[in-house]
Amino acid sequence: MLPSLLGQIDPHEALLSVSGDGAYDTKACHEAIALRQAQAIIPVRKNARKPWKENRPGASARNEILRATQRLGRSIWKRWSGYHRRSLVETKMRCVKLMGERVMARDFDRQVAELQVRAAILMLSKRAGEIDGEAP
């Protein structure tokens, strides 16, 4: 699924990194990320023990993640790699969905305005510390 999603992005568009959970720790996903010259921020599966043979693109990057995880531990690797950003985005998308999954306006310009209002509400509530409990 990830290779087809990456295929929808213009090949000339630069990708710095691709994040995903352990379900994306597959040879096909790592290969697709490597072919786009992006950094994979995907934790290895919990039962991963040995490195992959480095005969495919992306295998060496995945093996580095495995070594770092074994050396540092999963929680330190997640903080070190920036993996926590993925969960922050998921939390923010949940907040957007709480405001309603559908756009009520029918006209495109009004739809844009409605989504901008939602984003402004999220930013104000973030500053006030209402959504995720963080101090402003």
Side-chain angles (χ1 to χ4, degrees), residues 21-93:
D21 60 19
Y24 293 98
D25 183 33
T26 65
K27 291 178 182 175
C29 290
H30 281 280
E31 184 172 341
I33 294 168
L35 291 175
R36 290 299 303 262
Q37 298 177 347
Q39 177 188 8
I41 304 177
I42 301 171
V44 294
R45 295 180 186 216
K46 291 189 180 193
N47 61 353
R49 296 290 176 251
K50 55 185 180 175
W52 290 347
K53 293 178 184 173
E54 296 194 13
N55 57 355
R56 295 178 71 165
S60 61
R62 190 267 186 183
N63 291 341
E64 251 330 288
I65 294 171
L66 176 64
R67 282 191 283 278
T69 302
Q70 290 172 339
R71 196 175 311 122
L72 303 172
R74 286 179 79 81
S75 62
I76 293 174
W77 176 84
K78 286 180 179 183
R79 275 184 271 148
W80 173 76
S81 66
Y83 179 75
H84 66 283
R85 285 187 188 147
R86 184 184 134 287
S87 62
L88 294 175
V89 170
E90 285 181 357
T91 301
K92 209 41 88 177
M93 286 306 298

Side-chain angles (χ1 to χ4, degrees), residues 97-110:
K97 287 181 178 181
L98 286 175
M99 291 184 193
E101 291 190 31
R102 294 184 176 194
V103 180
M104 298 299 165
R106 292 185 182 188
D107 179 52
F108 178 74
D109 292 333
R110 289 189 175 117

